[in-house]
Amino acid sequence: MATKFLALACLRNNEGSGYLSPRPHYPSMPKYPKGVTEEEGSSNVSSKALFSVVGMTCSACAASVEKAVKRLPGIRQAVVDVLNNRAQVLFYPSFVNEETIREVIEDAGFQATFIRDDNETSVQICRIRIQGMTCTSCSSTVESALQSIQGVVKAQVALATEEAEVHYTPNVVTYNQILEAVEDTGFQATLISTGEDMSRIDIQVEGIRTGRSMRLIENSLQALPGVQGVETHPEFNKVSLSYKPDLTGPRNFINVIEETGSRRFKAKIFPEEGGRRNSHRREEIRQYYRSFLWSLVLTIPVFLTSMVLMYIPGIKHGVDAKVVNMLTVGEIIRWVLATPVQFIIGKRFYSGAYKALRLGSPNMDVLIALGTNAAYFYSVYSVLRAATSQGFKGTDFFETSAMLISFILLGKYLEVLAKGKTSNAIAKLMNLTPDTAILLTLDSEGNVVGEEEIDSRLIQKNDVIKVIPGAKVAADGFVIWGQSHVNESMITGEARPVAKRKGETVIGGTVNENGVLHVKATWVGSESALSQIVRLVESAQMAKAPVQKFADRISKYFVPLVILISFSTWLAWFLAGRFHAYPKSWIPSSMDSFQLALQFGISVMVIACPCALGLATPTAVMVGTGVGASQGILIKGGQALENTHKVNCVVFDKTGTLTIGKPVVVNTKLLTNMVLREFYELVAAAEVNSEHPLAKAIVEYAKKLRDDENPIWPEARDFVSIAGHGVKAMVRNKEILVGNKSLMEDHNVALPIDAEEMLAEAEAMAQTGIIVSINREVVGVLAVSDPLKPAAQEVISILKSMKIRSIMVTGDNWGTANSIAREVGIETVIAEAKPDQKAEKVKDLQASGCRVAMVGDGINDSPALVAADVGMAIGAGTDIAIEAADIVLMKSNLEDVITAIDLSRKTFSRIRLNYIWALGYNLLGIPIAAGALFPSTQFRLPPWIAGAAMAASSVSVVCCSLMLKYYRRPKKLDNLEIRGISIE
């Protein structure tokens, strides 16, 4: 189930499309423009054009572009890929050209660029780690720089993960140029991966002494079939390879390397591969921890000499002892200790501020640098004046700058620590794969002749792996020998062990509970189900929710506004003191009016926190999507999360969604003198070419009559599948029609009274009646039953209690549809609907003000899934439906519709709480720091406390998001056990 789902969860290649991941299509437009005959149209050769479309954020955007293009005359086909921001159009040049198509896309509200179509054009994805970003101002600057590069189709920068995902055209721009663009913005960039659809591996080679040896190894590897690229890194004795897993694999590379050097070279998978993702985070945590400790060591004496020792009589005399004129020992100690804190430990803030100001986008580092510099350099001025004057007794603020930096470093340390926990879901998924595997050697007859324990990363396609009880399955594949039960809960969220026997598929990372299995590996490395789930969750966490635009807009003006308020605060208090606008008794004995004004100005500058605003949305989305993945609900990004929490209407498909999706033939009535076996032979020959669940049920029933697992059916010629109606084919020179009433009416086939009665009887029992005609004469009626999913009725009831309307849309007949709807409690039913009619119904609901979620599993559901605000695909459904959806319910359970909606609501209530806290903190904190309470209460906020509050605000927002990790599905679902419904 999950392997099938993962084959298309936005990730696996579509070899036929070349440029685009498979996308759902709206029903085909007319082959030729209106008024043009088929003879005229067939003389025109169609052309293909590829467009880069910037600005699409969701499936609805893709749908609007696709529809706009298809309205043009001369469009043969249009496919829009929202993931890669591409549109591929097949058109007839006699009727329309590339420029007209481009203009229509731009008229739809998106920026379009024509890309000349050639075989070398493709889109690749690279992931980049970016160090030094502190707030949304930084991430927006980097994102803008990346999107301005020629050849970059799409760029997303995530502040919470400190990563960027860039979709680019490699024959226009290279990933090295992309890295340089990031470096030019002032941040450090490191490549994580490139060519997402290409398998890649790093191998460490020992024994290399000369450059000639490395070149020899490189040439030997490039000669291997399936190797697409070889990069050597002599300084690390490392070789990086890109390859096609169908043709070769890591064991072949190691063997070639070792044989090249006559066993002089030793090769193994580069040891850093497993821990690269977390090593950066751990190093960043260590850096902040070290910086904070050193800062603390130097700051504590500064604090003590400034605020504690002055009250101890014996020590106070020594600290206040004069050295030169009015310069005291305490001032010298504080200056000496505060200087390394300011310029060595605090260097990162100067560096960040310089980069931000150079790019014209001031960030948090600018506020910190200005605030600490004001305190430090005023203190230097005070000390130097005291050393050169015999009557000046100033007050220094060295403790302010030192303590500010210490508290901010503590806050950043706690923030990085907390942010690391937001991606725990990915870390847990990545750790599921076992370290080793048992590789079996088979003879020509399939008998085991040997076994060897190998590193699981060395598994290649078509290897046979032995999985013992209690061990994890090392790779995706299928069972060729043995039977057992496998616990797939860590991948699918399904708690019950799943029985596995010969021919059944297994997923890498799942646990074999009993029995020994021999598994043939089919998907390895980056193609495995686990790798693709990880990539899907990573992409989801990279995508910005629309609500984040609010924070991005504020961040543009936040820092300049704070600097203005800070300066205004200082100026107001300074002028008030100069013109005696307040009593002198308000000024503390240890300072004058200028120093009081300076403290207020510094406090305003350092209490303002743009970080909390920037982290409010992405941290919650990261945790929310991670929690969803752990519960078997894959949410494709912040857009899907945001739309889901607004849903107030759910449209359900029937077959495979409300019902189990495994229909069986329960009754057959022949209206002519035919042998039942011969009748089913003709019907199965026509239906075997169809993917519809009802067709499969008929073929399975026919197999039982033949008592043959793999029968050979008669040849079906001129096969046509008519969506929403049935199939038509020529079998043994007879025209066979298998389908519903509409199909018969369209082909002028009269229905006898017996057939009408049987259809009515089947529909009354919630069964689907299927009519069979041979040579335009009805010869039989089949009744097919598809039982309801155990929880269907309860799920509809719970949705109703959540004030969410439920509607059923199906291609089945009205009688069956109404019977099923009554049974589950759905009041609104649309039956006998074609795929385009399902999509139109969704749009009608949207036009009436509904926020619509569509739940479906079939190819005919994909237009509706795209059209809906949120498309939810059942995990056991068809590939195209899963690709079209915004959310994939991996367990195929209806109750997960409720869980997905509830999780999105909880996530967005957390985002709102984060925003309320972040905005409220700044709205309250800035006036208090500016001295709003000082006239009435004499309360003022020292700068170092303001800095501590600023650091705490970011940490509190991240911790608030982390609370989502403890999400539990609604209690209403606790007593509902799927696959065996038990209500306690």
Side-chain angles (χ1 to χ4, degrees), residues 316-610:
K316 181 181 185 303
H317 179 72
V319 171
D320 288 343
K322 305 290 190 297
V323 178
V324 178
N325 290 329
M326 298 300 289
L327 179 64
T328 64
V329 172
E331 287 173 330
I332 292 174
I333 291 172
R334 289 193 289 274
W335 189 8
V336 168
L337 293 176
T339 300
V341 175
Q342 182 72 32
F343 298 109
I344 299 175
I345 297 172
K347 180 185 174 183
R348 66 176 69 240
F349 302 119
Y350 283 99
S351 174
Y354 167 73
K355 293 170 186 173
L357 291 172
R358 185 167 62 88
L359 294 165
S361 57
N363 60 8
M364 187 196 78
D365 289 333
V366 173
L367 296 179
I368 296 169
L370 285 174
T372 56
N373 276 341
Y376 178 83
F377 285 108
Y378 176 78
S379 301
V380 171
Y381 159 77
S382 179
V383 167
L384 292 176
R385 188 173 172 190
T388 57
S389 170
Q390 304 216 352
F392 176 81
K393 186 181 179 182
T395 302
D396 65 84
F397 294 147
F398 285 121
E399 82 287 348
T400 296
S401 65
M403 291 173 72
L404 256 176
I405 289 173
S406 296
F407 275 113
I408 289 164
L409 288 173
L410 174 62
K412 293 301 288 183
Y413 166 69
L414 294 174
E415 183 186 317
V416 173
L417 209 60
K419 280 200 296 188
K421 292 179 181 177
T422 59
S423 55
N424 275 356
I426 291 180
K428 287 177 182 175
L429 285 170
M430 295 183 75
N431 290 333
L432 289 177
T433 309
D435 295 328
T436 60
I438 301 172
L439 176 67
L440 297 180
T441 306
L442 308 181
D443 61 18
S444 56
E445 296 179 358
N447 300 313
V448 178
V449 294
E451 60 180 60
E452 172 191 5
E453 188 173 52
I454 62 169
D455 187 321
S456 61
R457 292 174 295 176
L458 294 175
I459 296 173
Q460 298 181 183
K461 201 166 185 178
N462 297 323
D463 281 347
V464 178
I465 307 297
K466 179 180 177 182
V467 187
I468 60 176
K472 290 180 180 177
V473 179
D476 293 3
F478 61 91
V479 178
I480 61 171
W481 180 87
Q483 58 183 21
S484 181
H485 285 80
V486 174
N487 185 341
E488 297 182 341
S489 60
M490 61 285 295
I491 302 291
T492 66
E494 178 59 70
R496 291 176 187 236
V498 182
K500 300 292 180 183
R501 56 181 63 86
K502 186 176 180 181
E504 300 265 350
T505 58
V506 291
I507 309 167
T510 55
V511 178
N512 181 25
E513 296 207 335
N514 49 40
V516 177
L517 297 175
H518 291 178
V519 175
K520 187 169 187 177
T522 53
W523 302 104
V524 296
S526 61
E527 294 181 324
S528 70
L530 193 56
S531 295
Q532 294 187 52
I533 287 182
V534 169
R535 285 208 296 272
L536 183 58
V537 176
E538 284 176 338
S539 293
Q541 293 181 344
M542 290 290 297
K544 288 184 179 179
V547 71
Q548 196 172 338
K549 292 176 184 175
F550 171 69
D552 292 344
R553 282 196 298 269
I554 291 177
S555 68
K556 289 181 182 177
Y557 312 105
F558 188 89
V559 174
L561 183 63
V562 167
I563 293 171
L564 181 63
I565 293 171
S566 175
F567 178 76
S568 301
T569 300
W570 168 80
L571 186 62
W573 278 102
F574 174 68
L575 292 176
R578 176 59 62 92
F579 294 107
H580 309 292
Y582 59 82
K584 283 190 176 181
S585 60
W586 287 11
I587 304 173
S589 58
S590 59
M591 60 179 70
D592 58 24
S593 61
F594 176 84
Q595 293 168 337
L596 180 66
L598 184 63
Q599 276 211 347
F600 282 129
I602 294 171
S603 293
V604 169
M605 194 168 291
V606 297
I607 200 170
C609 185

Side-chain angles (χ1 to χ4, degrees), residues 245-292:
D246 288 343
L247 301 176
T248 189
R251 287 206 312 283
N252 293 348
F253 305 147
I254 289 173
N255 290 338
V256 164
I257 291 170
E258 293 185 345
E259 287 170 7
T260 297
S262 303
R263 297 289 166 183
R264 188 175 80 244
F265 303 133
K266 294 292 180 185
K268 62 181 180 181
I269 292 180
F270 203 74
E272 286 184 5
E273 184 166 341
R276 275 187 296 187
R277 170 166 295 277
N278 294 321
S279 61
H280 160 68
R281 184 75 69 188
R282 286 194 296 268
E283 179 57 31
E284 189 178 18
I285 290 170
R286 279 196 296 268
Q287 283 179 1
Y288 274 117
Y289 182 67
R290 284 195 300 265
S291 296
F292 168 66

